[in-house]
Amino acid sequence: MPTIEQARDWYPNDDPVHGFDHVLRVYFMAERLSQAEGADLEIVRAAALLHDAGDGLAAEAGDHALRQGHHHASAEFAARVLAAEGWTQERISEVQHCIRSHRFRDDSELPHSLEARVLFDADKLDAIGAIGVARALAFAVRRGQPVYAPPSEQFLHTGKTQGDEPHSAYHEFRFKLVKLKDRLFTPAARIIAEQRHQQMVDFFERLADEAEGYPAT
Ligand code: ADP
Ligand code: NI
């Protein structure tokens, strides 16, 4: 079983969105969900520690496009790490399925095992609530995108920006974050999501109001 200490080396510590602190939060949330749902803890722990490891490799290569495929890079990296530890092919495949199916933006492989659903939910819980807001703002700032810009009608309907419309943190909220609560699989995660979702919605609605110049108070 890979340790937390080992995993620290696989992630950047200067990345507020996908750094090691994100992995640790997902790891502890995934443990909590596993206990509530009866998932295989060893599979879930390994998957949580390895789930974004391919992202660091992509960042090292300086390639943003690679981030799109980071779950595949992470799954391959996971197989190498676990094979070196003597894991069976069957259990390695279970971990790889968790990693490959954890992306919201790629629904070509949906999480069908309980362990994959636990990892998916733990990762998505970290994209909503106060932490989710902080990560969305950090992502936008790092990319040189505004925190708020008014989304076009086209964006609201299709998720595609129009002309030189930026993809602000508020766009990310409207396109993805607001939907996450209803995409979760496990009852334990759905309960935790309620309050986080509401706090995030309150923040982004207030952000839009203030940015548009009509705060209620
Ligand atoms: P997924 O593949 O599941 O969609 P990502 O790894 O792309 O997840 O995103 C993870 C985190 O990064 C989330 O907190 C998300 O809000 C944030 N994020 C991703 N893309 C953007 C973006 N274009 N603007 C703001 N935040 C973003
Ligand atoms: Ni993640």
Side-chain angles (χ1 to χ4, degrees):
M1 174 68 206
T3 63
I4 291 179
E5 275 320 304
Q6 239 175 306
R8 201 179 290 276
D9 291 341
W10 301 333
Y11 294 93
N13 46 25
D14 63 345
D15 182 345
V17 185
H18 288 101
F20 189 60
D21 58 325
H22 162 66
V23 172
L24 272 187
R25 287 191 302 272
V26 170
Y27 179 85
F28 291 118
M29 180 58 77
E31 274 191 337
R32 180 172 159 191
L33 299 179
S34 291
Q35 273 146 6
E37 302 288 338
D40 182 324
L41 258 178
E42 195 185 35
I43 299 283
V44 167
R45 283 185 177 132
L49 289 180
L50 286 153
H51 84 278
D52 280 336
D55 196 30
L57 309 175
E60 250 167 51
D63 191 339
H64 263 314
L66 263 179
R67 157 123 262 279
Q68 290 311 317
H70 83 272
H71 47 318
H72 295 290
S74 301
E76 281 161 33
F77 179 71
R80 289 203 297 278
V81 169
L82 299 177
E85 294 204 4
W87 281 46
T88 62
Q89 188 48 51
E90 194 191 339
R91 289 181 71 74
I92 291 175
S93 297
E94 285 184 49
V95 172
Q96 287 189 295
H97 169 61
C98 296
I99 295 173
R100 279 197 308 264
S101 62
H102 89 273
R103 301 293 306 281
F104 175 86
R105 283 183 168 80
D106 177 3
D107 59 5
S108 59
E109 182 170 341
L110 295 173
H112 57 67
S113 67
L114 176 57
E115 289 71 25
R117 291 175 171 199
V118 161
L119 177 69
F120 182 97
D121 287 359
D123 192 54
K124 300 316 151 217
L125 285 173
D126 207 54
I128 62 174
I131 287 283
V133 168
R135 292 177 74 213
L137 302 187
F139 192 107
V141 169
R142 280 199 137 200
R143 284 275 180 97
Q145 297 291 315
V147 161
Y148 176 82
S152 62
E153 279 302 315
Q154 171 179 302
F155 180 83
L156 292 176
H157 289 116
T158 65
K160 303 252 178 297
T161 52
Q162 198 172 32
D164 58 4
E165 177 181 0
H167 185 108
S168 70
Y170 184 73
H171 282 66
E172 182 71 2
F173 163 68
R174 294 291 297 263
F175 170 65
K176 167 177 149 178
L177 305 181
V178 76
K179 301 175 193 156
L180 288 181
K181 168 175 83 73
D182 295 324
R183 297 286 288 271
L184 300 177
F185 293 95
T186 64
R190 283 176 170 253
I191 291 169
I192 296 168
E194 284 301 327
Q195 205 185 7
R196 291 187 184 206
H197 173 82
Q198 198 49 54
Q199 284 164 340
M200 171 185 71
V201 169
D202 291 347
F203 172 82
F204 278 110
E205 282 179 355
R206 177 74 197 185
L207 176 71
D209 278 356
E210 291 185 11
E212 296 289 352
Y214 46 84
T217 49

